[in-house]
Amino acid sequence: MSSRSRIPGIVTTDHVFRVPLDHGAPGGESIEVYAREVVAAGREHDELPWLVYLQGGPGGKANRPTGRDGWLDRALDDYRVLLLDQRGTGRSTPANRQTLARRGDARQQAEYLAHFRADSIVRDAELIRRQLLGEDGEWSLLGQSFGGFCTLTYLSLAPEHLREAFVTGGLAGLRRSADEVYRAAYPRVARKNAGHYARFPQDVAAVRRIAAHLVERPAALPGGGTLTVQAFQALGILLGGGSGSCVLHYLLEEAWVEGADGPELSDTFLAGAQSHLSFAQNPLYAVLHESIYGQRSVDAGATDWAAERVRKEFPGFDAEAALAGDGPVLLTGEMIHPWMFETDPALRPLRETAQLLAERTDWPDLYDLPRLASNQVPVYAAVYHDDMYVDTAHSLETADAVAGTRVWVTNEWEHDGVRTSGRTVLDRLIRMARGEV
């Protein structure tokens, strides 16, 4: 099924595919996967190579184009682009508190969601490739963040029909456990805090004041959630984006109003905090986040809320201890904690499901190291120096392990550089592929 739309500068075509829930049992239950084909206006009938965009996440739908903007503008110079809503997201068969409730109890929900990792996403893409391009058709990949993790899985499972792969901020540690990932992450997040407080020194007092208030009186959010001090600290996820430090600062500026009984947190602040903290639009990000690191050969145990456990090794992130002194309260980053399934209404019904996934010990491997070591698909990767979300050292370690990988290390952009740089980051990688850099 497909339909076509015209937006200034581009022509889009909708595609919906039926894919097996479990690719190991193709005759069983099936789900839908949606993809949007985008081509430059006037080039609809040209023979163009395909570029598949694999979104970050997990649990994020592909971007919705409004024209020839940003990286898409550069891609459309050379490619026909396919924006894939990975299974469970966007217009693909959704997986959230509403739809999962129909699947039965938490154990049944967890078994269902165990099929929503990178290996299944790659097999979906391969089925789609065959339907759109034929058995021998080939295309290129652009993997942003978690989409880069999926790209490495694609190179491990089905590289035969890939022309090239571009990765932005997404070279995962191939044999790094969840514990190792977060053990490396907390010091990076602390550095981002230091950078923010150096840029906006007045925010040291602003954050301390809000944190002290929330320790005593957690606040109700407009959507029914609860802003605890730990949830407030989670706003530090903003510090990994190009404009995130400024966004956080401006949010803090409007934190207080003078109410009938004295100062209170403003509706403006609470609504802004909710917009950054709620998982209503991407619940799989929380439910499946640590499972993206689960591999049988890496860690025989469960991921078991690694971010929460490892946090105890970094007492600087203890807000109440910080408030007992006179130093800054550190905000956290891209970490998922079990208490989020209490404070967020979109996650509360999935609490037991998430717990079962955290306890799971039989995750299959996502990367084939021998195959990656002999990889023949050209890979061009942007690695951001001190990326808050993906460890730079782990990324360079992976680049060394994947044959044919060329890396551009830059401190000009943050993790979201492919989006915030306009055409720049993708253009650099394409010029590397063309031998122009």
Side-chain angles (χ1 to χ4, degrees), residues 407-428:
V407 175
W408 168 41
V409 182
T410 176
N411 64 358
E412 188 174 358
W413 311 103
E414 294 285 352
H415 182 77
D416 56 355
V418 73
R419 292 189 291 268
T420 60
S421 71
R423 294 168 54 98
T424 301
V425 167
L426 181 57
D427 180 68
R428 170 71 179 235

Side-chain angles (χ1 to χ4, degrees), residues 204-218 228-229 232-233 256 265 319-320 322-324 329:
V204 173
V207 169
R208 284 180 60 88
R209 183 185 180 193
I210 296 168
H213 176 83
L214 292 172
V215 167
E216 298 296 328
R217 285 167 286 176
T228 63
V229 68
F232 170 58
Q233 287 178 276
W256 298 95
L265 292 172
E320 294 191 44
L323 290 170
V329 172

Side-chain angles (χ1 to χ4, degrees), residues 186-211:
Y186 278 107
R188 296 198 310 277
V189 176
R191 291 196 294 273
K192 295 298 184 184
N193 273 263
H196 176 79
Y197 287 135
R199 182 177 298 115
F200 299 111
Q202 64 270 44
D203 284 0
V204 173
V207 169
R208 284 180 60 88
R209 183 185 180 193
I210 296 168

Side-chain angles (χ1 to χ4, degrees), residues 377-408:
V377 179
V379 180
Y380 306 93
V383 173
Y384 304 114
H385 191 279
D386 211 27
D387 186 326
M388 192 176 87
Y389 301 126
V390 179
D391 188 73
T392 304
H394 293 176
S395 293
L396 296 178
E397 176 183 87
T398 295
D400 285 341
V402 180
T405 300
R406 293 183 61 195
V407 175
W408 168 41

Side-chain angles (χ1 to χ4, degrees), residues 195-424:
H196 176 79
Y197 287 135
R199 182 177 298 115
F200 299 111
Q202 64 270 44
D203 284 0
V204 173
V207 169
R208 284 180 60 88
R209 183 185 180 193
I210 296 168
H213 176 83
L214 292 172
V215 167
E216 298 296 328
R217 285 167 286 176
L221 293 171
T226 305
L227 187 66
T228 63
V229 68
Q230 292 91 349
F232 170 58
Q233 287 178 276
L235 286 172
I237 194 171
L238 291 168
L239 298 178
S243 60
S245 180
C246 293
V247 170
L248 176 63
H249 171 69
Y250 296 138
L251 180 64
L252 297 173
E253 280 188 332
E254 299 183 90
W256 298 95
V257 293
E258 194 66 33
D261 299 317
E264 59 183 272
L265 292 172
S266 71
D267 287 346
T268 298
F269 171 77
L270 294 173
Q274 177 177 270
S275 71
H276 297 297
L277 297 175
S278 172
F279 289 99
Q281 295 192 60
N282 58 343
L284 290 185
Y285 182 94
V287 178
L288 292 177
H289 199 88
E290 291 192 359
S291 76
I292 69 176
Y293 304 113
Q295 297 188 84
R296 192 180 296 117
S297 66
V298 175
D299 186 351
T303 55
D304 191 26
W305 303 111
E308 178 76 6
R309 288 185 293 99
V310 172
R311 180 173 175 164
K312 295 179 176 63
E313 300 175 19
F314 298 91
F317 287 90
D318 184 327
E320 294 191 44
L323 290 170
D326 56 6
V329 172
L330 296 185
L331 307 177
T332 53
E334 193 183 36
M335 290 86 173
I336 299 299
H337 302 276
W339 53 258
M340 291 176 170
F341 292 81
E342 301 287 348
T343 61
D344 188 340
L347 298 181
R348 281 178 197 144
L350 303 176
R351 179 179 59 235
E352 188 178 350
T353 301
Q355 180 63 39
L356 290 170
L357 290 168
E359 294 171 357
R360 195 178 185 106
T361 59
D362 60 347
W363 294 116
D365 286 349
L366 294 168
Y367 312 117
D368 185 331
L369 266 63
R371 196 167 197 180
L372 291 173
S374 59
N375 171 60
Q376 297 183 31
V377 179
V379 180
Y380 306 93
V383 173
Y384 304 114
H385 191 279
D386 211 27
D387 186 326
M388 192 176 87
Y389 301 126
V390 179
D391 188 73
T392 304
H394 293 176
S395 293
L396 296 178
E397 176 183 87
T398 295
D400 285 341
V402 180
T405 300
R406 293 183 61 195
V407 175
W408 168 41
V409 182
T410 176
N411 64 358
E412 188 174 358
W413 311 103
E414 294 285 352
H415 182 77
D416 56 355
V418 73
R419 292 189 291 268
T420 60
S421 71
R423 294 168 54 98
T424 301

Side-chain angles (χ1 to χ4, degrees), residues 28-228:
E29 180 180 356
S30 65
I31 59 175
E32 288 187 345
V33 170
Y34 168 81
R36 179 180 278 111
E37 174 188 341
V38 187
V39 66
R43 304 194 71 185
E44 303 95 298
H45 305 295
D46 291 0
E47 290 293 329
L48 296 168
W50 287 72
L51 177 71
V52 181
Y53 178 63
L54 297 173
Q55 175 65 285
K61 65 185 179 183
N63 56 307
R64 272 39 184 167
T66 57
R68 287 196 59 158
D69 300 318
W71 69 263
L72 183 61
D73 180 43
R74 176 61 186 91
L76 293 176
D77 287 348
D78 296 332
Y79 298 95
R80 185 181 301 271
V81 176
L82 193 70
L83 302 172
L84 180 67
D85 279 358
Q86 297 164 12
R87 53 171 54 201
T89 75
R91 290 178 59 184
S92 298
T93 300
N96 54 46
R97 65 174 180 84
Q98 295 162 302
T99 63
L100 290 170
R102 302 199 304 266
R103 299 206 65 88
D105 62 20
R107 191 164 299 280
Q108 292 168 304
Q109 293 176 24
E111 287 301 318
Y112 177 75
L113 291 177
H115 299 295
F116 282 67
R117 298 204 309 156
D119 46 358
S120 295
I121 293 168
V122 166
R123 292 185 173 103
D124 291 344
E126 269 296 277
L127 185 151
I128 292 168
R129 180 193 60 77
R130 290 192 294 271
Q131 291 194 34
L132 289 179
L133 282 69
E135 189 64 37
D136 297 325
E138 62 179 18
W139 57 17
S140 302
L141 303 179
L142 169 58
Q144 157 64 13
S145 190
F146 172 70
F149 293 27
C150 294
T151 298
L152 292 168
T153 302
Y154 212 135
L155 293 169
S156 296
L157 297 181
E160 298 85 1
H161 300 293
L162 297 180
R163 296 174 70 242
E164 61 201 349
F166 304 106
V167 176
T168 55
L171 288 182
L174 300 175
R175 285 293 181 265
R176 295 290 183 172
S177 68
D179 283 41
E180 290 176 292
V181 166
Y182 292 110
R183 203 162 280 126
Y186 278 107
R188 296 198 310 277
V189 176
R191 291 196 294 273
K192 295 298 184 184
N193 273 263
H196 176 79
Y197 287 135
R199 182 177 298 115
F200 299 111
Q202 64 270 44
D203 284 0
V204 173
V207 169
R208 284 180 60 88
R209 183 185 180 193
I210 296 168
H213 176 83
L214 292 172
V215 167
E216 298 296 328
R217 285 167 286 176
L221 293 171
T226 305
L227 187 66
T228 63

